């Protein structure tokens, strides 16, 4: 493996075990002039070019960054497959504190990153993720035509968080239909952990549908943005307090991954987990722990696919109504997964994996 300058770098071979998903390609990128250090992971191109966002995060080590990229890329393969897209899965992570890169310094780093993505010749199509924004994709696109999530002024669709939230809301409606026989959140108590780019749009959908909403976020300004507009929204002191809230019907993790783990699952009061965060299951087996507690889990990569549906459509000439129609189908897909889980006697996460893996396997045989 080499960096973008062609110089040898550590392959971090110890991370490439079979249980990480059999990725097709992993590229470590470095540009000393701009300070860029990034990882691009391509899990599968069976269904088409790998598509996934770019995360900008201050990882503790390169190993941690590679591990995150591998997990996220694999999740994108499954997400794109179940969303019905002709795309495989990929993900990129930029190592660093995004707040430390401003102005010209950020521009130079993003241009270098764009050159790195372009060097893959279209095998990977990038977009926004945690720590990156529409304006960043506009910069990346100056060096790379395989860039989505751009602003409307630059030929893009703009903020994908709008349809991501809409898709999660459809997943919640499907969960309500499956569990309570009615696809409405009216009168249900929903806890949303993380009310940033996606979470605050989700809150709007929930309130419009008549839900009782409690929120929490590590950023005080994110909480204040909602409570000033909606004084009736309750605020939990932190995520632990939220998941222990008495009478909670639905828990929506909408921040970083690993929200469902050995510490949180035993104390969850909610009957449903359905949120926007990627990789919510901290490790294999958590999905069974949820099922053992009769907690219905709507697989994260199924319900949060609205954003990737949007950015994929951008490649062919964006039409919001067409995308919203596709995102609305997350309701039916989620119900189908619950039905498959029941018929096969397995957790919904395993049922979703089986359906996605079958589509990828069928494509690979063609």
């Amino acid at each position: 493996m080499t960096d973008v300058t062609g110089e040898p770098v550590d392959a971090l071979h110890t991370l490439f075990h079979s249980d990480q998903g059999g990725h097709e390609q992993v590229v470590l990128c470095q540009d000393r002039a701009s300070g860029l250090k990034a990882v691009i992971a391509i899990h599968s191109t069976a269904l088409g070019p790998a598509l996934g966002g770019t995360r900008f995060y201050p990882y503790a080590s390169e190993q941690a960054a590679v591990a995150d990229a591998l997990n996220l890329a694999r999740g994108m393969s499954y997400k794109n497959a179940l969303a019905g897209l002709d795309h495989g899965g990929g993900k990129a992570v930029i190592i660093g504190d995004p707040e430390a890169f401003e102005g010209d310094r950020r521009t130079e780093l993003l241009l270098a990153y764009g050159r790195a993505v372009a060097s893959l010749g279209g095998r990977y199509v990038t977009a926004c993720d945690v720590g990156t924004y529409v304006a960043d994709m506009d910069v990346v696109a100056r060096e790379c035509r395989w860039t989505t999530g751009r602003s409307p002024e630059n030929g893009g669709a703009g903020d994908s968080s709008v349809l991501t939230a809409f898709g999660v809301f459809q997943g919640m409606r499907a969960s309500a239909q499956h569990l309570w026989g009615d696809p409405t959140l009216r009168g249900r108590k929903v806890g949303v952990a993380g009310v940033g780019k996606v979470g605050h749009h989700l809150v709007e959908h929930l309130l419009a549908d008549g839900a009782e909403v409690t929120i929490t976020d590590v950023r005080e300004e994110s909480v204040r943005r909602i409570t000033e507009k909606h004084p009736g929204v309750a605020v939990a002191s932190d995520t632990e307090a939220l998941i222990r809230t008495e009478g909670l019907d639905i828990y929506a993790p909408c921040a970083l991954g690993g929200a469902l783990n050995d510490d949180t699952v035993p104390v969850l009061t909610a009957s449903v987990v359905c949120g926007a965060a990627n990789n919510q299951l901290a490790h294999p087996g958590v999905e069974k722990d949820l099922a053992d507690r009769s907690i219905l889990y709507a697989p994260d990569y199924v319900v949060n696919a609205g954003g990737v549906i949007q950015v994929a459509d951008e490649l062919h000439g964006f039409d919001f109504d067409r995308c919203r129609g596709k995102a609305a189908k997350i309701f039916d897909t989620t119900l189908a997964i619950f039905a498959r889980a029941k018929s096969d006697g397995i957790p919904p996460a395993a049922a979703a994996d089986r359906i996605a893996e079958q589509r990828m396997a069928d494509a690979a045989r063609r």
Side-chain angles (χ1 to χ4, degrees), residues 18-307:
S18 60
D19 62 357
Q20 299 237 288
H23 294 68
E24 292 181 10
Q25 185 177 7
V26 180
V27 180
L28 304 185
C29 310
Q30 180 172 304
D31 180 77
R32 293 185 178 88
S34 66
L36 173 72
K37 294 183 73 175
V39 182
I40 302 172
I42 297 175
H43 176 260
S44 171
T45 56
L47 292 171
L51 172 63
T54 300
R55 180 165 294 189
F56 199 161
Y57 190 76
Y59 293 95
S61 66
E62 290 182 356
Q63 287 86 347
V66 172
D68 200 30
L70 292 174
N71 288 332
L72 292 166
R74 181 177 183 273
M76 289 305 304
S77 286
Y78 284 68
K79 178 186 295 190
N80 293 340
L82 277 171
L85 301 176
D86 295 326
H87 283 282
K91 204 79 170 187
V93 299
I94 297 174
I95 305 170
D97 182 356
E99 295 184 2
F101 288 83
E102 298 179 348
D104 291 343
R105 189 182 183 204
R106 189 180 185 96
T107 297
E108 291 305 314
L109 179 140
L110 292 170
L111 290 173
Y113 170 68
R115 292 191 291 272
V117 175
S119 72
L120 297 175
R123 280 177 53 78
Y124 169 62
V125 181
T126 196
C128 301
D129 196 75
V130 174
T132 60
Y133 303 88
V134 170
D136 293 327
M137 293 304 106
D138 285 345
V139 175
V140 173
R142 287 158 56 182
E143 293 284 356
C144 177
R145 65 188 180 93
W146 296 286
T147 305
T148 62
R150 293 163 293 151
S151 68
E153 294 80 11
N154 286 280
D159 185 6
S160 64
S161 63
V162 173
L163 285 181
T164 302
F166 178 70
V168 174
F169 178 61
Q170 297 308 313
M172 283 191 185
R173 292 182 62 246
S175 300
Q177 173 68 53
H178 179 81
L179 197 60
W180 300 306
D182 193 350
T184 180
L185 285 308
R186 179 168 298 280
R188 298 295 174 187
K189 193 169 187 176
V190 183
V192 182
V195 287
K197 286 198 290 187
V198 175
H200 84 277
H201 289 300
L202 178 60
V203 168
E204 296 289 343
H205 287 298
L206 292 169
L207 293 173
D209 200 34
E212 180 183 341
V213 179
T214 302
I215 64 172
T216 190
D217 197 294
V218 295
R219 294 179 176 83
E220 185 179 339
E221 62 271 22
S222 296
V223 172
R224 188 168 56 248
R225 173 173 57 174
I226 290 175
T227 56
E228 287 180 350
K229 184 177 180 181
H230 302 288
V233 170
V235 179
S237 58
D238 54 27
T239 300
E240 182 176 355
L242 179 66
I243 64 176
R244 292 175 180 269
T245 299
E246 186 176 349
L248 197 66
D249 292 302
I250 300 176
Y251 170 51
C254 294
L256 296 177
L260 303 173
N261 55 53
D262 295 336
D263 295 324
T264 58
V265 171
V267 297
L268 269 174
T269 60
S271 301
V272 174
V273 175
C274 179
N278 289 308
N279 297 328
Q280 293 171 26
L281 303 177
H283 59 77
V286 175
E287 70 282 4
K288 184 178 183 302
D289 295 337
L290 289 164
D292 288 346
R293 292 202 59 219
S294 298
I295 297 173
L296 181 66
Y297 172 60
D300 49 36
Y301 69 80
V302 176
V303 302
N304 68 12

